[in-house]
Amino acid sequence: MSETLEIERHRAAIARNEISRPVRLAIESAILNQDTSFFDYGCGYGGDVQRVANLGYTSGGWDPYYYPDETITAADVVNLGYVLNVIEDIEERRQSLIQAWELTRKVLIVAAQVLINAPSKAQLAYSDGIVTKRNTFQKYYEQEELKQYIDEVLNVDAVPVALGVYFVFRDETAKESFKAIRFFSRTSTPRIRIPTKRFEDYQELLQPLMQFFTHRGRLPVKGELETEAEILTEFANYRRAFNVILQATDEAEWDAIAYRRSLDIQVYLALTHFDQRPRFSQLPAEMRHDIKAFFGSYEEACEVADQKLFSLGKPGVVKTACEKSKIGKHTRGALYVHISALAALDPLLRIYEGCASRTIGRVDGATLIKYYTDQPQISYLFYPEFDTDPHPALTASINIDLKTLYVTHRDYSNRANPPVLHRKETFVTANYPLYEQFAKLTQQEQELGLLKQKSEIGTREGWQKCLAAHGVEIRGHEVYQI
């Protein structure tokens, strides 16, 4: 049968109304920008080519069926989006990946269908995939299987960006810079508390120095700051300039920024242990300076990071870290934390989450991270109405078994009675924009006795019955008697 079956590959092309997720991720990561050229290899209907061009970027594409006469050209960023999974010929599939890589000057985007998105009923087994009802071929990969395939064919270390999406970098330093950025804590510049005359005289000149320290947690080295000449002309060195800043601000806040930045580096380095750890020379220059400032040497930094990583294998370490966490909602078997609070967690928990996300990259749209305290698992929970709905419903979850790296996806979007959230302020940090609003609602609900029956109010129907029994309704984030 396999010899006579004719696959209609072109029917697998998808007509989209917006930029595809892999290309959008490249734009959001600044991998693709106005200074880089884009080429879509196997562009289907050409939607990404047109929309990237509409952004003002240099954009081109080719497709064997829809755009066979377009010139195949090299580009800084090349997209091989959902092509590998529709080619039934194993050798041709391999050659398509190689050809796309040969066209790539900086970054190759590789995206393919992964198993959690596969239909439960396959019509017909064919080659190493299935034939769909539309007579197209689909090869569904496991997430790790896809990385292994890319790495082996191209002899590279592909970086997971999201489920089924990988970036392959030509330059090792650019790759490490991209990997490290996701572990950066968001910090804000300390407020001016005592505006001294000397500080006010030089405030405009000192602003770039304050911004640099806020971002990197240290003073610049020679050549890192554009306004270096002006600052050094006035103050002779950065330390003297920074002392003027310290007179007008709280030194402890600057120390906290430096400490968090050193933790960011520890988390990043701990997770490089799983891959081929980069040589010091392969790190971005600014990170090399960070490491020297915070740890003295690369060896020392790696040793500190590895100690934290290896400690996670000891019995009870994760459970204890979860129980001690002042951030998140504690239950009998888990700690739930809002995605925005991840960088504020104990570095052990950040590394532990990194052990999961290093496999699947960024979990697009996830709201909460669930740390299991009784088994080596992490789940990403999706509550798209978290900010707007006082008691949002769960729409999906992605679970990762840290022993097997097996990924499980569950869809709750069509359930008539999905789980709902309460006490939303417990998942976020106190500086979350809606923290006060969440906390006020919880206080009102507690005073009315709405939160007593925990087992009954955990679902949408149970919660509605509770509200009806108490004669109240919730509009916005306020409780009203009816």
Side-chain angles (χ1 to χ4, degrees):
M1 180 182 287
S2 62
E3 292 178 2
T4 59
L5 191 61
E6 190 170 333
I7 302 296
E8 299 178 87
R9 283 184 203 164
H10 64 280
R11 299 188 68 188
I14 298 172
R16 293 186 173 88
N17 297 319
E18 56 189 13
I19 288 177
S20 68
R21 186 173 66 127
V23 177
R24 173 174 58 80
L25 290 170
I27 293 171
E28 289 174 359
S29 304
I31 295 293
L32 180 56
N33 54 59
Q34 289 191 330
D35 297 324
T36 58
S37 55
F38 173 75
F39 189 82
D40 197 347
Y41 187 69
C43 63
Y45 295 118
D48 278 341
V49 177
Q50 187 59 54
R51 291 185 182 95
V52 169
N54 290 345
L55 293 172
Y57 303 172
T58 302
S59 178
W62 171 86
D63 188 88
Y65 186 87
Y66 294 100
Y67 295 95
D69 299 327
E70 292 295 317
T71 305
I72 297 175
T73 57
D76 296 321
V77 179
V78 174
N79 181 45
L80 190 69
Y82 305 104
V83 170
L84 296 179
N85 45 283
V86 302
I87 300 175
E88 74 283 359
D89 185 289
I90 293 173
E91 181 54 30
E92 188 181 342
R93 188 190 308 159
R94 185 174 179 276
Q95 286 304 316
S96 294
L97 179 56
I98 292 170
Q99 286 163 14
W101 180 232
E102 288 174 348
L103 294 172
T104 304
R105 288 196 286 258
K106 291 184 177 179
V107 180
L108 172 65
I109 308 166
V110 182
Q113 295 282 4
V114 292
L115 266 174
I116 65 163
N117 296 322
S120 56
K121 294 180 181 178
Q123 279 194 314
L124 177 68
Y126 184 82
S127 185
D128 60 346
I130 62 160
V131 177
T132 69
K133 291 178 180 178
R134 302 176 68 201
N135 201 33
T136 63
F137 173 82
Q138 284 290 347
K139 156 69 176 170
Y140 292 101
Y141 292 86
E142 293 275 6
Q143 177 77 359
E144 277 289 280
E145 178 192 6
L146 179 57
K147 174 175 167 55
Q148 193 173 4
Y149 179 70
I150 299 167
D151 289 357
E152 288 179 356
V153 172
L154 302 181
N155 191 28
V156 294
D157 175 28
V159 179
V161 183
L163 275 172
V165 183
Y166 285 87
F167 289 170
V168 188
F169 289 80
R170 283 284 182 195
D171 182 70
E172 283 293 315
T173 300
K175 180 182 79 172
E176 294 307 322
S177 180
F178 173 80
K179 288 166 67 176
I181 283 172
R182 63 180 287 244
F183 300 112
F184 264 46
S185 301
R186 289 185 180 179
T187 50
S188 53
T189 304
R191 290 182 296 111
I192 309 304
R193 296 182 180 275
I194 309 167
T196 63
K197 176 72 167 62
R198 186 160 170 74
F199 175 79
E200 288 182 333
D201 288 345
Y202 293 105
Q203 186 166 0
E204 189 175 338
L205 179 62
L206 293 171
Q207 204 63 42
L209 181 58
M210 294 172 73
Q211 290 172 350
F212 183 92
F213 199 109
T214 300
H215 183 55
R216 303 222 68 92
R218 60 172 174 83
L219 294 176
V221 301
K222 187 176 180 180
E224 282 194 299
L225 205 60
E226 286 185 10
T227 55
E228 177 179 297
E230 295 94 319
I231 293 176
L232 297 187
T233 297
E234 194 63 46
F235 295 98
N237 58 57
Y238 285 126
R239 175 50 61 186
R240 285 184 182 174
F242 197 67
N243 283 338
V244 175
I245 296 170
L246 292 179
Q247 290 169 10
T249 56
D250 186 346
E251 186 172 358
E253 292 183 26
W254 294 107
D255 289 342
I257 289 172
Y259 177 65
R260 286 185 67 175
R261 186 73 186 99
S262 71
L263 294 181
D264 294 344
I265 293 172
Q266 288 178 44
V267 174
Y268 158 71
L269 289 177
L271 294 168
T272 64
H273 177 86
F274 293 102
D275 308 310
Q276 186 174 352
R277 179 168 275 160
R279 297 189 302 275
F280 188 60
S281 61
Q282 291 176 319
L283 297 178
E286 60 270 21
M287 180 163 283
R288 297 201 299 270
H289 297 316
D290 292 345
I291 288 170
K292 286 180 179 177
F294 298 128
F295 303 98
S297 71
Y298 189 41
E299 292 73 22
E300 179 66 24
C302 290
E303 189 176 331
V304 171
D306 285 345
Q307 284 176 356
K308 283 188 167 63
L309 176 66
F310 298 151
S311 73
L312 291 171
K314 297 175 184 176
V317 168
V318 173
K319 183 176 182 180
T320 300
C322 286
E323 289 172 348
K324 286 184 176 179
S325 179
K326 294 178 181 177
I327 299 168
K329 184 175 182 177
H330 297 265
T331 65
R332 186 175 297 174
L335 172 70
Y336 295 79
V337 177
H338 193 271
I339 203 88
S340 66
L342 179 61
L345 291 177
D346 182 303
L348 283 175
L349 295 179
R350 292 178 65 192
I351 293 169
Y352 192 64
E353 185 275 336
C355 292
S357 62
R358 75 181 179 86
T359 304
I360 59 174
R362 169 174 152 186
V363 185
D364 236 8
T367 314
L368 302 182
I369 303 167
K370 179 182 179 181
Y371 289 85
Y372 292 79
T373 56
D374 52 357
Q375 49 192 316
Q377 291 184 29
I378 276 182
S379 288
Y380 297 90
L381 309 177
F382 295 75
Y383 294 89
E385 308 298 324
F386 183 83
D387 282 350
T388 55
D389 190 328
H391 297 283
L394 179 67
T395 61
S397 71
I398 292 175
N399 180 271
I400 301 172
D401 186 314
L402 289 168
K403 277 189 175 178
T404 63
L405 297 183
Y406 188 74
V407 181
T408 308
H409 177 264
R410 289 190 176 88
D411 187 356
Y412 295 83
S413 59
N414 294 319
R415 291 198 184 183
N417 189 29
V420 296
L421 284 183
H422 302 277
R423 305 178 188 272
K424 290 196 294 183
E425 76 285 352
T426 61
F427 302 106
V428 299
T429 57
N431 60 4
Y432 191 77
L434 299 171
Y435 178 87
E436 295 296 338
Q437 198 176 108
F438 295 166
K440 182 181 176 183
L441 174 62
T442 296
Q443 185 179 353
Q444 285 183 301
E445 291 175 344
Q446 280 180 316
E447 290 172 354
L448 291 168
L450 297 173
L451 304 178
K452 287 182 178 178
Q453 306 298 325
K454 292 182 182 179
S455 60
E456 296 175 14
I457 63 173
T459 63
R460 180 182 282 159
E461 288 179 4
W463 178 240
Q464 292 300 328
K465 286 178 182 177
C466 176
L467 292 178
H470 284 79
V472 297
E473 65 176 24
I474 297 174
R475 298 194 294 270
H477 282 76
E478 295 277 348
V479 181
Y480 295 89
Q481 297 285 344
I482 54 175

